[in-house]
Amino acid sequence: MSVSSQTHTTPQQIHNIRVREIVRISSPQALTLEEPMTPECLDTVMRGREEVARILKGEDSRLLVIVGPCSIHDPVSALEYARRLNALRLELSAKILPIMRVYFEKPRTTTGWKGLVNDPDMNDSCDIEKGLRTARHLLKTVTAMGLPTASEFLDAITPQYFGDFVSWAAIGARTTESQSHREMASGLSMPVGFKNGTDGNLQVALDAMKASRNPHSFLGMNEQGQISLIRSLGNPLAHPILRGGNSRENFDPESVRDARERLVKAGLPPFLMIDCSHGNSRKLHDRQEIAWKSLVEQRKNGDTSIIGAMLESHLHEGSQSIPQDLSQLRYGVSVTDACIGWEKTEELLRHAAE
């Protein structure tokens, strides 16, 4: 066939051919104007970040506790949980620093509900702009109480929408090895914890710490919603989170000692956090207590490297599938990983403080 007789191909036929739709959404600046930072919220966020920083530097001996639902799907039950946790925070603040886990994005191995930001109506409508608005409003309401918040950043864009309300951030086991997440973490304004890999590999978290503690230049989005060149300074408050792996736990004294020695050998601060859920609980919510009591005992015996812990907790224990009829959802029960209930949460926090 001659060149002149070939079918003419247009750019539209080779670009975005598997994209169904592109919808513009409001910029971070626009949502910030709708839900502005208040003096009360600013005080909570900055106090939370400063207290976490002091713990990570070994200047504050309290136990940092990231505690709350596996994921937020119902702002009403989340606010009830926040009120209970805030009251307990005020009571136990001399010994522990509770920060509420307010997670809006859920990583998925294959498919499933991706969290409140992605699908706030839980019906596959994926109204992301509504999800971002809901997330920002909830964080504003919680921090207005005086309770600092923690969140996992899965999408590199979302920190621009609500990161100003977050005092501590996590990079999950599936994304710790990602270069783009390490670059993002290098520019985040709050301390960042990197989880070990899903297979239990701690080295990926140590590599992520090293990478994020250095400056980077990368593509990102500014507050006006424009694609921009981001030049970060590096995040000196990156630290590892031991969350166990598919075949083993790593909250025991031997694993903690090994992690501490590897941190020192790598020239990194010898401080770490233990996630009592996930691999360390064998994905059984009531086994979180085993990891919790182990780390508390290790601290009691003089191990100062364990500076923090994570608990997945909700108003009621267990988990539930998302029903077709959302009116059938049980109030205060997780729709992702199973959680311990509030009574057990309060018991464990008091146990640590005592």
Side-chain angles (χ1 to χ4, degrees):
M1 180 184 294
S2 66
V3 175
S4 59
S5 64
Q6 290 180 1
T7 303
H8 180 65
T9 302
T10 66
Q12 289 75 22
Q13 291 175 297
I14 62 171
H15 185 58
N16 287 339
I17 60 174
R18 293 186 178 85
V19 175
R20 180 168 61 86
E21 185 180 24
I22 297 177
V23 180
R24 290 186 62 183
I25 65 173
S26 298
S27 69
Q29 185 178 64
L31 263 64
T32 299
L33 291 174
E34 291 180 21
E35 292 282 358
M37 176 68 70
T38 66
E40 295 80 9
C41 295
L42 180 62
D43 179 70
T44 299
V45 174
M46 292 308 299
R47 171 174 47 81
R49 291 179 182 178
E50 290 166 2
E51 289 179 322
V52 172
R54 286 180 55 81
I55 289 174
L56 288 169
K57 294 175 182 177
E59 299 170 356
D60 186 334
S61 62
R62 289 181 297 171
L63 178 67
L64 170 63
V65 183
I66 309 301
V67 56
C70 173
S71 60
I72 301 297
H73 71 277
D74 171 28
V76 176
S77 62
L79 287 175
E80 180 179 345
Y81 186 98
R83 286 189 287 269
R84 295 187 187 188
L85 182 61
N86 195 42
L88 196 58
R89 174 187 70 85
L90 294 172
E91 182 182 346
L92 306 180
S93 61
K95 294 295 181 69
I96 63 174
L97 175 62
I99 293 183
M100 182 170 168
R101 177 187 171 109
V102 189
Y103 280 29
F104 301 116
E105 304 173 86
K106 295 304 298 179
R108 289 300 177 192
T109 302
T110 52
T111 58
W113 185 65
K114 296 180 182 178
L116 185 141
V117 163
N118 183 271
D119 189 13
D121 295 318
M122 304 173 74
N123 59 4
D124 293 325
S125 59
C126 297
D127 188 346
I128 290 179
E129 181 155 347
K130 178 181 178 179
L132 291 168
R133 281 193 167 88
T134 303
R136 185 169 178 85
H137 179 73
L138 179 60
L139 287 169
K140 181 178 179 179
T141 307
V142 172
T143 52
M145 300 178 188
L147 179 62
T149 64
S151 198
E152 177 180 342
F153 290 129
L154 182 61
D155 190 298
I157 290 176
T158 53
Q160 291 285 19
Y161 281 95
F162 53 76
D164 50 333
F165 283 108
V166 176
S167 291
W168 180 90
I171 305 298
R174 294 174 181 83
T175 46
T176 286
E177 203 165 1
S178 160
Q179 175 175 299
S180 60
H181 286 80
R182 295 174 178 186
E183 292 170 341
M184 174 186 68
S186 74
L188 289 176
S189 301
M190 71 291 294
V192 178
F194 287 96
K195 291 194 175 183
N196 63 244
T198 55
D199 61 354
N201 182 2
L202 178 61
Q203 189 60 45
V204 295
L206 302 184
D207 291 344
M209 286 178 62
K210 285 186 175 180
S212 67
R213 293 167 76 89
N214 284 282
H216 290 275
S217 298
F218 55 95
L219 285 175
M221 186 180 72
N222 65 13
E223 293 181 347
Q224 290 74 43
Q226 301 165 321
I227 300 301
S228 306
L229 168 62
I230 309 295
R231 299 190 192 276
S232 67
L233 295 173
N235 193 328
L237 297 174
H239 56 280
I241 304 171
L242 308 187
R243 50 86 75 194
N246 296 330
S247 59
R248 71 181 190 91
E249 303 153 347
N250 59 7
F251 61 80
D252 57 281
E254 182 179 352
S255 296
V256 171
R257 182 170 58 253
D258 175 68
R260 181 174 62 249
E261 290 172 354
R262 292 175 66 178
L263 284 163
V264 171
K265 186 176 180 180
L268 297 167
F271 301 117
L272 55 90
M273 179 178 287
I274 293 177
D275 180 359
C276 296
S277 188
H278 300 99
N280 278 334
S281 68
R282 303 178 190 173
K283 297 185 178 181
L284 300 172
H285 65 279
D286 52 356
R287 285 185 60 88
Q288 291 186 76
E289 182 174 1
I290 299 173
W292 177 268
K293 291 188 174 179
S294 174
L295 73 89
V296 169
E297 187 67 19
Q298 290 175 65
R299 279 176 57 94
K300 180 181 175 182
N301 292 335
D303 191 334
T304 58
S305 64
I306 303 173
I307 52 84
M310 301 183 73
L311 285 170
E312 289 193 327
S313 153
H314 212 325
L315 296 175
H316 304 293
E317 71 170 350
S319 64
Q320 61 183 324
S321 299
I322 300 175
Q324 288 287 339
D325 180 2
L326 295 180
S327 68
Q328 300 301 310
L329 279 170
R330 289 177 287 151
Y331 179 76
V333 178
S334 173
V335 298
T336 46
D337 290 352
C339 297
I340 57 174
W342 176 255
E343 291 75 14
K344 177 58 69 174
T345 303
E346 184 173 2
E347 175 190 325
L348 295 183
L349 292 180
R350 291 188 184 280
H351 166 258
E354 291 167 2

